[in-house]
Amino acid sequence: MSGLLAEITERNKAFMAAFAKGDAVAISELYTEDCKVMPTGSDTLTGRNGVVQVFTGVINAGAKKLLLETDEAGPTEPTQMIAYERGRYTFYLEGDKVMDNGKFVVIWKKLSDGKWYLYTDIFNSNK
């Protein structure tokens, strides 16, 4: 696994762990402060408050677990401070019953602390 893919995988594990705890604020801290989130059927929301709004809604709708699966990831420019990820997601209800599944594209930014943060996140349901 490449260094970039390993780093994104670790950030996704933190995302899934925060989701399993129902902690939308912890999820938002994985995003840049000026992030854009573009969920299915919604306008673009900006900033960490938008992230909290989106994932609080999903959690309140009954989702208990999230699985993120990366199909492809790579740098987008020579400085390797911006990267992309394309993959699939599945939200689960209690008892591992599938609530929703779909696909996503994320633009990641590496910030001055050396960590990758979600900058633009678009996801669309397959339903």
Side-chain angles (χ1 to χ4, degrees), residues 38-57:
M38 298 181 280
T40 299
S42 176
D43 290 333
T44 299
L45 300 167
T46 301
R48 289 179 174 164
N49 287 338
V51 175
V52 170
Q53 181 181 337
V54 168
F55 289 102
T56 296

Side-chain angles (χ1 to χ4, degrees), residues 38-111:
M38 298 181 280
T40 299
S42 176
D43 290 333
T44 299
L45 300 167
T46 301
R48 289 179 174 164
N49 287 338
V51 175
V52 170
Q53 181 181 337
V54 168
F55 289 102
T56 296
V58 175
I59 291 164
N60 287 345
K64 303 293 183 195
K65 184 172 88 173
L66 168 63
L67 176 63
L68 297 170
E69 299 175 280
T70 302
D71 293 324
E72 178 182 17
T76 61
E77 38 78 53
T79 65
Q80 298 194 9
M81 300 301 282
I82 299 175
Y84 72 91
E85 176 190 19
R86 180 183 57 78
R88 294 163 282 128
Y89 71 86
T90 306
F91 289 113
Y92 292 92
L93 299 167
E94 194 74 41
D96 282 346
K97 181 179 177 190
V98 173
M99 175 182 170
D100 186 34
N101 60 34
K103 58 260 176 214
F104 66 86
V105 173
V106 171
I107 297 172
W108 292 85
K109 277 189 178 181
K110 188 177 246 186
L111 299 185

